[in-house]
PDB file of all heavy atoms in Angstrom:
ATOM      1  N   GLU J   1      14.972  16.506 -42.601  1.00 97.00           N
ATOM      2  CA  GLU J   1      13.800  15.756 -42.308  1.00 97.00           C
ATOM      3  C   GLU J   1      13.591  15.642 -40.764  1.00 97.00           C
ATOM      4  O   GLU J   1      14.550  15.650 -40.045  1.00 97.00           O
ATOM      5  CB  GLU J   1      13.880  14.347 -42.856  1.00 97.00           C
ATOM      6  CG  GLU J   1      14.083  14.264 -44.348  1.00 97.00           C
ATOM      7  CD  GLU J   1      15.540  14.108 -44.713  1.00 97.00           C
ATOM      8  OE1 GLU J   1      16.433  14.568 -43.819  1.00 97.00           O
ATOM      9  OE2 GLU J   1      15.834  13.592 -45.782  1.00 97.00           O
ATOM     10  N   PRO J   2      12.353  15.637 -40.281  1.00 98.00           N
ATOM     11  CA  PRO J   2      12.136  15.394 -38.852  1.00 98.00           C
ATOM     12  C   PRO J   2      12.758  14.077 -38.424  1.00 98.00           C
ATOM     13  O   PRO J   2      12.796  13.060 -39.163  1.00 98.00           O
ATOM     14  CB  PRO J   2      10.606  15.373 -38.762  1.00 98.00           C
ATOM     15  CG  PRO J   2      10.091  16.034 -39.983  1.00 98.00           C
ATOM     16  CD  PRO J   2      11.070  15.787 -41.082  1.00 98.00           C
ATOM     17  N   LEU J   3      13.171  14.081 -37.164  1.00 98.00           N
ATOM     18  CA  LEU J   3      13.922  12.863 -36.661  1.00 98.00           C
ATOM     19  C   LEU J   3      13.075  12.190 -35.573  1.00 98.00           C
ATOM     20  O   LEU J   3      12.289  12.831 -34.815  1.00 98.00           O
ATOM     21  CB  LEU J   3      15.248  13.332 -36.028  1.00 98.00           C
ATOM     22  CG  LEU J   3      16.275  13.897 -36.969  1.00 98.00           C
ATOM     23  CD1 LEU J   3      17.470  14.358 -36.110  1.00 98.00           C
ATOM     24  CD2 LEU J   3      16.661  12.890 -38.021  1.00 98.00           C
ATOM     25  N   GLY J   4      13.245  10.925 -35.488  1.00 98.00           N
ATOM     26  CA  GLY J   4      12.710  10.109 -34.387  1.00 98.00           C
ATOM     27  C   GLY J   4      13.690   9.074 -33.893  1.00 98.00           C
ATOM     28  O   GLY J   4      14.710   8.889 -34.489  1.00 98.00           O
ATOM     29  N   LEU J   5      13.394   8.577 -32.715  1.00 98.00           N
ATOM     30  CA  LEU J   5      14.259   7.580 -32.061  1.00 98.00           C
ATOM     31  C   LEU J   5      13.432   6.269 -32.057  1.00 98.00           C
ATOM     32  O   LEU J   5      12.364   6.209 -31.515  1.00 98.00           O
ATOM     33  CB  LEU J   5      14.659   7.987 -30.675  1.00 98.00           C
ATOM     34  CG  LEU J   5      15.860   7.260 -30.044  1.00 98.00           C
ATOM     35  CD1 LEU J   5      17.153   7.436 -30.876  1.00 98.00           C
ATOM     36  CD2 LEU J   5      16.062   7.742 -28.596  1.00 98.00           C
ATOM     37  N   ASP J   6      14.049   5.189 -32.617  1.00 98.00           N
ATOM     38  CA  ASP J   6      13.400   3.931 -32.684  1.00 98.00           C
ATOM     39  C   ASP J   6      13.669   3.158 -31.373  1.00 98.00           C
ATOM     40  O   ASP J   6      14.841   2.751 -31.128  1.00 98.00           O
ATOM     41  CB  ASP J   6      13.905   3.108 -33.837  1.00 98.00           C
ATOM     42  CG  ASP J   6      13.158   1.836 -34.052  1.00 98.00           C
ATOM     43  OD1 ASP J   6      12.400   1.389 -33.136  1.00 98.00           O
ATOM     44  OD2 ASP J   6      13.346   1.120 -35.139  1.00 98.00           O
ATOM     45  N   MET J   7      12.642   3.051 -30.555  1.00 98.00           N
ATOM     46  CA  MET J   7      12.818   2.371 -29.221  1.00 98.00           C
ATOM     47  C   MET J   7      12.181   1.030 -29.201  1.00 98.00           C
ATOM     48  O   MET J   7      11.910   0.467 -28.124  1.00 98.00           O
ATOM     49  CB  MET J   7      12.221   3.251 -28.129  1.00 98.00           C
ATOM     50  CG  MET J   7      12.863   4.644 -27.957  1.00 98.00           C
ATOM     51  SD  MET J   7      14.620   4.550 -27.529  1.00 98.00           S
ATOM     52  CE  MET J   7      14.482   3.865 -25.907  1.00 98.00           C
ATOM     53  N   GLY J   8      11.944   0.435 -30.384  1.00 97.00           N
ATOM     54  CA  GLY J   8      11.191  -0.839 -30.467  1.00 97.00           C
ATOM     55  C   GLY J   8      11.848  -1.986 -29.800  1.00 97.00           C
ATOM     56  O   GLY J   8      11.146  -2.959 -29.460  1.00 97.00           O
ATOM     57  N   SER J   9      13.175  -1.910 -29.538  1.00 97.00           N
ATOM     58  CA  SER J   9      13.858  -2.996 -28.884  1.00 97.00           C
ATOM     59  C   SER J   9      13.881  -2.893 -27.353  1.00 97.00           C
ATOM     60  O   SER J   9      14.416  -3.784 -26.680  1.00 97.00           O
ATOM     61  CB  SER J   9      15.307  -3.067 -29.401  1.00 97.00           C
ATOM     62  OG  SER J   9      16.058  -1.930 -29.004  1.00 97.00           O
ATOM     63  N   MET J  10      13.337  -1.776 -26.852  1.00 97.00           N
ATOM     64  CA  MET J  10      13.381  -1.596 -25.391  1.00 97.00           C
ATOM     65  C   MET J  10      12.012  -1.943 -24.861  1.00 97.00           C
ATOM     66  O   MET J  10      11.081  -2.308 -25.526  1.00 97.00           O
ATOM     67  CB  MET J  10      13.790  -0.188 -25.075  1.00 97.00           C
ATOM     68  CG  MET J  10      15.140   0.196 -25.634  1.00 97.00           C
ATOM     69  SD  MET J  10      16.520  -0.841 -25.103  1.00 97.00           S
ATOM     70  CE  MET J  10      16.783  -0.166 -23.432  1.00 97.00           C
ATOM     71  N   VAL J  11      11.879  -1.755 -23.484  1.00 97.00           N
ATOM     72  CA  VAL J  11      10.585  -2.095 -22.837  1.00 97.00           C
ATOM     73  C   VAL J  11       9.887  -0.889 -22.296  1.00 97.00           C
ATOM     74  O   VAL J  11       8.839  -0.508 -22.722  1.00 97.00           O
ATOM     75  CB  VAL J  11      10.822  -3.191 -21.748  1.00 97.00           C
ATOM     76  CG1 VAL J  11       9.482  -3.568 -21.076  1.00 97.00           C
ATOM     77  CG2 VAL J  11      11.532  -4.417 -22.317  1.00 97.00           C
ATOM     78  N   LYS J  12      10.534  -0.244 -21.302  1.00 98.00           N
ATOM     79  CA  LYS J  12       9.779   0.868 -20.627  1.00 98.00           C
ATOM     80  C   LYS J  12      10.777   1.759 -19.937  1.00 98.00           C
ATOM     81  O   LYS J  12      11.643   1.269 -19.255  1.00 98.00           O
ATOM     82  CB  LYS J  12       8.709   0.305 -19.659  1.00 98.00           C
ATOM     83  CG  LYS J  12       7.893   1.413 -19.044  1.00 98.00           C
ATOM     84  CD  LYS J  12       6.880   0.842 -18.009  1.00 98.00           C
ATOM     85  CE  LYS J  12       6.021   1.937 -17.435  1.00 98.00           C
ATOM     86  NZ  LYS J  12       6.776   2.916 -16.690  1.00 98.00           N
ATOM     87  N   GLY J  13      10.588   3.068 -20.073  1.00 98.00           N
ATOM     88  CA  GLY J  13      11.456   4.039 -19.403  1.00 98.00           C
ATOM     89  C   GLY J  13      11.356   5.389 -19.891  1.00 98.00           C
ATOM     90  O   GLY J  13      10.173   5.791 -20.271  1.00 98.00           O
ATOM     91  N   GLU J  14      12.408   6.164 -20.026  1.00 98.00           N
ATOM     92  CA  GLU J  14      12.404   7.547 -20.430  1.00 98.00           C
ATOM     93  C   GLU J  14      13.670   7.829 -21.165  1.00 98.00           C
ATOM     94  O   GLU J  14      14.716   7.228 -20.887  1.00 98.00           O
ATOM     95  CB  GLU J  14      12.191   8.504 -19.249  1.00 98.00           C
ATOM     96  CG  GLU J  14      11.945   9.929 -19.596  1.00 98.00           C
ATOM     97  CD  GLU J  14      11.576  10.820 -18.462  1.00 98.00           C
ATOM     98  OE1 GLU J  14      11.360  10.299 -17.308  1.00 98.00           O
ATOM     99  OE2 GLU J  14      11.582  12.069 -18.551  1.00 98.00           O
ATOM    100  N   VAL J  15      13.662   8.830 -22.098  1.00 98.00           N
ATOM    101  CA  VAL J  15      14.813   9.161 -22.926  1.00 98.00           C
ATOM    102  C   VAL J  15      15.073  10.650 -22.829  1.00 98.00           C
ATOM    103  O   VAL J  15      14.169  11.470 -22.885  1.00 98.00           O
ATOM    104  CB  VAL J  15      14.624   8.749 -24.395  1.00 98.00           C
ATOM    105  CG1 VAL J  15      15.872   8.960 -25.202  1.00 98.00           C
ATOM    106  CG2 VAL J  15      14.134   7.331 -24.515  1.00 98.00           C
ATOM    107  N   TRP J  16      16.391  10.994 -22.837  1.00 98.00           N
ATOM    108  CA  TRP J  16      16.792  12.395 -22.848  1.00 98.00           C
ATOM    109  C   TRP J  16      17.762  12.632 -23.974  1.00 98.00           C
ATOM    110  O   TRP J  16      18.690  11.773 -24.202  1.00 98.00           O
ATOM    111  CB  TRP J  16      17.476  12.772 -21.514  1.00 98.00           C
ATOM    112  CG  TRP J  16      16.582  12.756 -20.327  1.00 98.00           C
ATOM    113  CD1 TRP J  16      15.923  13.796 -19.756  1.00 98.00           C
ATOM    114  CD2 TRP J  16      16.221  11.581 -19.517  1.00 98.00           C
ATOM    115  NE1 TRP J  16      15.173  13.363 -18.635  1.00 98.00           N
ATOM    116  CE2 TRP J  16      15.378  12.036 -18.519  1.00 98.00           C
ATOM    117  CE3 TRP J  16      16.523  10.229 -19.614  1.00 98.00           C
ATOM    118  CZ2 TRP J  16      14.880  11.144 -17.535  1.00 98.00           C
ATOM    119  CZ3 TRP J  16      16.037   9.353 -18.684  1.00 98.00           C
ATOM    120  CH2 TRP J  16      15.152   9.828 -17.658  1.00 98.00           C
ATOM    121  N   ILE J  17      17.661  13.739 -24.624  1.00 98.00           N
ATOM    122  CA  ILE J  17      18.631  14.154 -25.653  1.00 98.00           C
ATOM    123  C   ILE J  17      19.242  15.526 -25.163  1.00 98.00           C
ATOM    124  O   ILE J  17      18.505  16.508 -24.965  1.00 98.00           O
ATOM    125  CB  ILE J  17      17.949  14.419 -27.040  1.00 98.00           C
ATOM    126  CG1 ILE J  17      17.253  13.146 -27.466  1.00 98.00           C
ATOM    127  CG2 ILE J  17      18.989  14.945 -28.017  1.00 98.00           C
ATOM    128  CD1 ILE J  17      18.182  12.073 -27.998  1.00 98.00           C
ATOM    129  N   ASN J  18      20.542  15.535 -25.003  1.00 97.00           N
ATOM    130  CA  ASN J  18      21.227  16.723 -24.520  1.00 97.00           C
ATOM    131  C   ASN J  18      20.513  17.367 -23.253  1.00 97.00           C
ATOM    132  O   ASN J  18      20.364  18.538 -23.101  1.00 97.00           O
ATOM    133  CB  ASN J  18      21.322  17.779 -25.595  1.00 97.00           C
ATOM    134  CG  ASN J  18      22.281  17.319 -26.685  1.00 97.00           C
ATOM    135  OD1 ASN J  18      23.193  16.522 -26.427  1.00 97.00           O
ATOM    136  ND2 ASN J  18      22.050  17.801 -27.899  1.00 97.00           N
ATOM    137  N   GLY J  19      20.017  16.460 -22.400  1.00 97.00           N
ATOM    138  CA  GLY J  19      19.450  16.898 -21.115  1.00 97.00           C
ATOM    139  C   GLY J  19      17.979  17.152 -21.208  1.00 97.00           C
ATOM    140  O   GLY J  19      17.351  17.403 -20.159  1.00 97.00           O
ATOM    141  N   GLN J  20      17.355  17.149 -22.393  1.00 97.00           N
ATOM    142  CA  GLN J  20      15.953  17.402 -22.484  1.00 97.00           C
ATOM    143  C   GLN J  20      15.209  16.068 -22.760  1.00 97.00           C
ATOM    144  O   GLN J  20      15.567  15.269 -23.639  1.00 97.00           O
ATOM    145  CB  GLN J  20      15.658  18.412 -23.640  1.00 97.00           C
ATOM    146  CG  GLN J  20      16.327  19.702 -23.478  1.00 97.00           C
ATOM    147  CD  GLN J  20      15.682  20.828 -24.289  1.00 97.00           C
ATOM    148  OE1 GLN J  20      14.520  21.138 -24.126  1.00 97.00           O
ATOM    149  NE2 GLN J  20      16.390  21.368 -25.235  1.00 97.00           N
ATOM    150  N   SER J  21      14.124  15.914 -21.958  1.00 98.00           N
ATOM    151  CA  SER J  21      13.397  14.650 -22.086  1.00 98.00           C
ATOM    152  C   SER J  21      12.459  14.629 -23.249  1.00 98.00           C
ATOM    153  O   SER J  21      11.640  15.524 -23.472  1.00 98.00           O
ATOM    154  CB  SER J  21      12.514  14.421 -20.813  1.00 98.00           C
ATOM    155  OG  SER J  21      11.668  13.328 -21.021  1.00 98.00           O
ATOM    156  N   ILE J  22      12.579  13.598 -24.140  1.00 98.00           N
ATOM    157  CA  ILE J  22      11.671  13.472 -25.228  1.00 98.00           C
ATOM    158  C   ILE J  22      10.424  12.661 -24.816  1.00 98.00           C
ATOM    159  O   ILE J  22       9.504  12.495 -25.561  1.00 98.00           O
ATOM    160  CB  ILE J  22      12.291  12.838 -26.414  1.00 98.00           C
ATOM    161  CG1 ILE J  22      12.742  11.379 -26.196  1.00 98.00           C
ATOM    162  CG2 ILE J  22      13.446  13.603 -26.978  1.00 98.00           C
ATOM    163  CD1 ILE J  22      13.291  10.631 -27.418  1.00 98.00           C
ATOM    164  N   GLY J  23      10.408  12.151 -23.531  1.00 98.00           N
ATOM    165  CA  GLY J  23       9.192  11.624 -22.987  1.00 98.00           C
ATOM    166  C   GLY J  23       9.330  10.191 -22.503  1.00 98.00           C
ATOM    167  O   GLY J  23      10.446   9.551 -22.552  1.00 98.00           O
ATOM    168  N   ARG J  24       8.279   9.591 -21.972  1.00 98.00           N
ATOM    169  CA  ARG J  24       8.288   8.260 -21.492  1.00 98.00           C
ATOM    170  C   ARG J  24       8.121   7.384 -22.756  1.00 98.00           C
ATOM    171  O   ARG J  24       7.373   7.697 -23.668  1.00 98.00           O
ATOM    172  CB  ARG J  24       7.086   7.972 -20.603  1.00 98.00           C
ATOM    173  CG  ARG J  24       7.028   8.791 -19.319  1.00 98.00           C
ATOM    174  CD  ARG J  24       5.752   8.387 -18.524  1.00 98.00           C
ATOM    175  NE  ARG J  24       5.600   9.223 -17.356  1.00 98.00           N
ATOM    176  CZ  ARG J  24       4.764  10.263 -17.227  1.00 98.00           C
ATOM    177  NH1 ARG J  24       4.015  10.590 -18.262  1.00 98.00           N
ATOM    178  NH2 ARG J  24       4.644  10.981 -16.162  1.00 98.00           N
ATOM    179  N   TYR J  25       8.807   6.236 -22.737  1.00 98.00           N
ATOM    180  CA  TYR J  25       8.552   5.205 -23.753  1.00 98.00           C
ATOM    181  C   TYR J  25       8.072   3.924 -23.087  1.00 98.00           C
ATOM    182  O   TYR J  25       8.362   3.635 -21.932  1.00 98.00           O
ATOM    183  CB  TYR J  25       9.831   4.910 -24.619  1.00 98.00           C
ATOM    184  CG  TYR J  25      10.946   4.287 -23.843  1.00 98.00           C
ATOM    185  CD1 TYR J  25      10.968   2.840 -23.784  1.00 98.00           C
ATOM    186  CD2 TYR J  25      11.977   4.971 -23.275  1.00 98.00           C
ATOM    187  CE1 TYR J  25      11.939   2.202 -23.114  1.00 98.00           C
ATOM    188  CE2 TYR J  25      13.009   4.278 -22.590  1.00 98.00           C
ATOM    189  CZ  TYR J  25      13.000   2.889 -22.504  1.00 98.00           C
ATOM    190  OH  TYR J  25      13.998   2.262 -21.821  1.00 98.00           O
ATOM    191  N   TRP J  26       7.306   3.165 -23.860  1.00 98.00           N
ATOM    192  CA  TRP J  26       6.782   1.891 -23.399  1.00 98.00           C
ATOM    193  C   TRP J  26       6.373   1.118 -24.663  1.00 98.00           C
ATOM    194  O   TRP J  26       5.464   1.591 -25.410  1.00 98.00           O
ATOM    195  CB  TRP J  26       5.611   2.091 -22.460  1.00 98.00           C
ATOM    196  CG  TRP J  26       5.201   0.927 -21.658  1.00 98.00           C
ATOM    197  CD1 TRP J  26       5.824  -0.337 -21.575  1.00 98.00           C
ATOM    198  CD2 TRP J  26       4.030   0.788 -20.781  1.00 98.00           C
ATOM    199  NE1 TRP J  26       5.160  -1.177 -20.734  1.00 98.00           N
ATOM    200  CE2 TRP J  26       4.051  -0.552 -20.244  1.00 98.00           C
ATOM    201  CE3 TRP J  26       3.025   1.656 -20.453  1.00 98.00           C
ATOM    202  CZ2 TRP J  26       3.112  -1.003 -19.390  1.00 98.00           C
ATOM    203  CZ3 TRP J  26       2.092   1.203 -19.582  1.00 98.00           C
ATOM    204  CH2 TRP J  26       2.081  -0.099 -18.998  1.00 98.00           C
ATOM    205  N   THR J  27       6.959   0.001 -24.884  1.00 98.00           N
ATOM    206  CA  THR J  27       6.628  -0.746 -26.131  1.00 98.00           C
ATOM    207  C   THR J  27       5.638  -1.837 -25.916  1.00 98.00           C
ATOM    208  O   THR J  27       5.615  -2.846 -26.638  1.00 98.00           O
ATOM    209  CB  THR J  27       8.000  -1.324 -26.726  1.00 98.00           C
ATOM    210  OG1 THR J  27       8.564  -2.148 -25.672  1.00 98.00           O
ATOM    211  CG2 THR J  27       8.866  -0.210 -27.148  1.00 98.00           C
ATOM    212  N   ILE J  28       4.711  -1.599 -25.012  1.00 97.00           N
ATOM    213  CA  ILE J  28       3.662  -2.576 -24.743  1.00 97.00           C
ATOM    214  C   ILE J  28       2.808  -2.724 -26.012  1.00 97.00           C
ATOM    215  O   ILE J  28       2.573  -1.821 -26.779  1.00 97.00           O
ATOM    216  CB  ILE J  28       2.766  -2.085 -23.571  1.00 97.00           C
ATOM    217  CG1 ILE J  28       1.735  -3.088 -23.212  1.00 97.00           C
ATOM    218  CG2 ILE J  28       2.137  -0.722 -23.858  1.00 97.00           C
ATOM    219  CD1 ILE J  28       0.967  -2.789 -21.933  1.00 97.00           C
ATOM    220  N   THR J  29       2.397  -3.990 -26.208  1.00 97.00           N
ATOM    221  CA  THR J  29       1.636  -4.375 -27.504  1.00 97.00           C
ATOM    222  C   THR J  29       0.216  -3.757 -27.448  1.00 97.00           C
ATOM    223  O   THR J  29      -0.452  -3.796 -26.413  1.00 97.00           O
ATOM    224  CB  THR J  29       1.590  -5.842 -27.650  1.00 97.00           C
ATOM    225  OG1 THR J  29       2.933  -6.351 -27.698  1.00 97.00           O
ATOM    226  CG2 THR J  29       0.871  -6.248 -28.923  1.00 97.00           C
ATOM    227  N   ALA J  30      -0.209  -3.253 -28.583  1.00 97.00           N
ATOM    228  CA  ALA J  30      -1.526  -2.624 -28.745  1.00 97.00           C
ATOM    229  C   ALA J  30      -2.600  -3.623 -29.015  1.00 97.00           C
ATOM    230  O   ALA J  30      -2.414  -4.568 -29.806  1.00 97.00           O
ATOM    231  CB  ALA J  30      -1.441  -1.582 -29.800  1.00 97.00           C
ATOM    232  N   ALA J  31      -3.689  -3.446 -28.309  1.00 96.00           N
ATOM    233  CA  ALA J  31      -4.902  -4.277 -28.578  1.00 96.00           C
ATOM    234  C   ALA J  31      -6.016  -3.350 -29.056  1.00 96.00           C
ATOM    235  O   ALA J  31      -6.051  -2.160 -28.742  1.00 96.00           O
ATOM    236  CB  ALA J  31      -5.342  -4.933 -27.283  1.00 96.00           C
ATOM    237  N   GLY J  32      -6.894  -3.883 -29.860  1.00 95.00           N
ATOM    238  CA  GLY J  32      -8.000  -3.080 -30.362  1.00 95.00           C
ATOM    239  C   GLY J  32      -8.728  -3.801 -31.470  1.00 95.00           C
ATOM    240  O   GLY J  32      -8.595  -5.021 -31.684  1.00 95.00           O
ATOM    241  N   ASP J  33      -9.547  -3.067 -32.208  1.00 94.00           N
ATOM    242  CA  ASP J  33     -10.279  -3.620 -33.350  1.00 94.00           C
ATOM    243  C   ASP J  33      -9.747  -3.003 -34.602  1.00 94.00           C
ATOM    244  O   ASP J  33     -10.051  -1.859 -34.966  1.00 94.00           O
ATOM    245  CB  ASP J  33     -11.797  -3.278 -33.180  1.00 94.00           C
ATOM    246  CG  ASP J  33     -12.634  -3.875 -34.360  1.00 94.00           C
ATOM    247  OD1 ASP J  33     -12.061  -4.500 -35.227  1.00 94.00           O
ATOM    248  OD2 ASP J  33     -13.878  -3.634 -34.242  1.00 94.00           O
ATOM    249  N   CYS J  34      -8.893  -3.765 -35.321  1.00 96.00           N
ATOM    250  CA  CYS J  34      -8.229  -3.163 -36.500  1.00 96.00           C
ATOM    251  C   CYS J  34      -8.816  -3.735 -37.788  1.00 96.00           C
ATOM    252  O   CYS J  34      -8.124  -4.012 -38.778  1.00 96.00           O
ATOM    253  CB  CYS J  34      -6.747  -3.526 -36.455  1.00 96.00           C
ATOM    254  SG  CYS J  34      -5.872  -2.595 -35.129  1.00 96.00           S
ATOM    255  N   GLU J  35     -10.162  -3.837 -37.840  1.00 93.00           N
ATOM    256  CA  GLU J  35     -10.879  -4.296 -39.017  1.00 93.00           C
ATOM    257  C   GLU J  35     -10.828  -3.154 -40.026  1.00 93.00           C
ATOM    258  O   GLU J  35     -10.637  -1.952 -39.692  1.00 93.00           O
ATOM    259  CB  GLU J  35     -12.295  -4.660 -38.648  1.00 93.00           C
ATOM    260  CG  GLU J  35     -12.457  -5.854 -37.754  1.00 93.00           C
ATOM    261  CD  GLU J  35     -11.890  -7.143 -38.358  1.00 93.00           C
ATOM    262  OE1 GLU J  35     -12.155  -7.335 -39.585  1.00 93.00           O
ATOM    263  OE2 GLU J  35     -11.249  -7.867 -37.686  1.00 93.00           O
ATOM    264  N   PRO J  36     -11.074  -3.449 -41.361  1.00 94.00           N
ATOM    265  CA  PRO J  36     -11.134  -2.422 -42.400  1.00 94.00           C
ATOM    266  C   PRO J  36     -12.107  -1.322 -41.977  1.00 94.00           C
ATOM    267  O   PRO J  36     -13.216  -1.581 -41.403  1.00 94.00           O
ATOM    268  CB  PRO J  36     -11.606  -3.197 -43.659  1.00 94.00           C
ATOM    269  CG  PRO J  36     -11.071  -4.593 -43.361  1.00 94.00           C
ATOM    270  CD  PRO J  36     -11.252  -4.844 -41.916  1.00 94.00           C
ATOM    271  N   CYS J  37     -11.734  -0.110 -42.329  1.00 95.00           N
ATOM    272  CA  CYS J  37     -12.517   1.050 -41.887  1.00 95.00           C
ATOM    273  C   CYS J  37     -13.375   1.645 -43.008  1.00 95.00           C
ATOM    274  O   CYS J  37     -12.945   1.764 -44.185  1.00 95.00           O
ATOM    275  CB  CYS J  37     -11.581   2.170 -41.410  1.00 95.00           C
ATOM    276  SG  CYS J  37     -12.391   3.769 -41.068  1.00 95.00           S
ATOM    277  N   ARG J  38     -14.603   1.944 -42.719  1.00 96.00           N
ATOM    278  CA  ARG J  38     -15.535   2.631 -43.602  1.00 96.00           C
ATOM    279  C   ARG J  38     -15.839   4.019 -43.026  1.00 96.00           C
ATOM    280  O   ARG J  38     -16.052   4.118 -41.801  1.00 96.00           O
ATOM    281  CB  ARG J  38     -16.839   1.930 -43.832  1.00 96.00           C
ATOM    282  CG  ARG J  38     -16.714   0.609 -44.626  1.00 96.00           C
ATOM    283  CD  ARG J  38     -18.041  -0.140 -44.654  1.00 96.00           C
ATOM    284  NE  ARG J  38     -19.092   0.739 -45.200  1.00 96.00           N
ATOM    285  CZ  ARG J  38     -19.434   0.812 -46.516  1.00 96.00           C
ATOM    286  NH1 ARG J  38     -18.732   0.125 -47.376  1.00 96.00           N
ATOM    287  NH2 ARG J  38     -20.398   1.584 -46.937  1.00 96.00           N
ATOM    288  N   TYR J  39     -15.796   5.012 -43.815  1.00 97.00           N
ATOM    289  CA  TYR J  39     -16.020   6.357 -43.294  1.00 97.00           C
ATOM    290  C   TYR J  39     -17.478   6.617 -42.967  1.00 97.00           C
ATOM    291  O   TYR J  39     -17.806   7.492 -42.171  1.00 97.00           O
ATOM    292  CB  TYR J  39     -15.519   7.445 -44.345  1.00 97.00           C
ATOM    293  CG  TYR J  39     -16.472   7.697 -45.475  1.00 97.00           C
ATOM    294  CD1 TYR J  39     -17.534   8.619 -45.402  1.00 97.00           C
ATOM    295  CD2 TYR J  39     -16.381   7.025 -46.678  1.00 97.00           C
ATOM    296  CE1 TYR J  39     -18.396   8.825 -46.409  1.00 97.00           C
ATOM    297  CE2 TYR J  39     -17.202   7.285 -47.761  1.00 97.00           C
ATOM    298  CZ  TYR J  39     -18.240   8.150 -47.587  1.00 97.00           C
ATOM    299  OH  TYR J  39     -19.124   8.339 -48.610  1.00 97.00           O
ATOM    300  N   GLU J  40     -18.365   5.855 -43.615  1.00 97.00           N
ATOM    301  CA  GLU J  40     -19.810   6.184 -43.485  1.00 97.00           C
ATOM    302  C   GLU J  40     -20.262   5.790 -42.066  1.00 97.00           C
ATOM    303  O   GLU J  40     -19.807   4.766 -41.455  1.00 97.00           O
ATOM    304  CB  GLU J  40     -20.611   5.354 -44.466  1.00 97.00           C
ATOM    305  CG  GLU J  40     -20.355   5.661 -45.884  1.00 97.00           C
ATOM    306  CD  GLU J  40     -19.356   4.690 -46.540  1.00 97.00           C
ATOM    307  OE1 GLU J  40     -18.530   4.086 -45.678  1.00 97.00           O
ATOM    308  OE2 GLU J  40     -19.269   4.550 -47.684  1.00 97.00           O
ATOM    309  N   GLY J  41     -21.176   6.559 -41.474  1.00 97.00           N
ATOM    310  CA  GLY J  41     -21.744   6.275 -40.158  1.00 97.00           C
ATOM    311  C   GLY J  41     -21.032   7.050 -39.084  1.00 97.00           C
ATOM    312  O   GLY J  41     -19.925   7.565 -39.245  1.00 97.00           O
ATOM    313  N   ALA J  42     -21.734   7.186 -37.970  1.00 97.00           N
ATOM    314  CA  ALA J  42     -21.236   7.992 -36.878  1.00 97.00           C
ATOM    315  C   ALA J  42     -19.905   7.437 -36.340  1.00 97.00           C
ATOM    316  O   ALA J  42     -19.676   6.247 -36.156  1.00 97.00           O
ATOM    317  CB  ALA J  42     -22.263   8.009 -35.727  1.00 97.00           C
TER     318      ALA J  42
END
């Protein structure tokens, strides 16, 4: 199965696996409009 790294307990930085960077991480909280979605309309 594909693998991931759970970084939910950290804050901000970068991760490397065997010398290769999997990227920047940042667990900043998301804001937005998460109301129920309807497909109809533009």
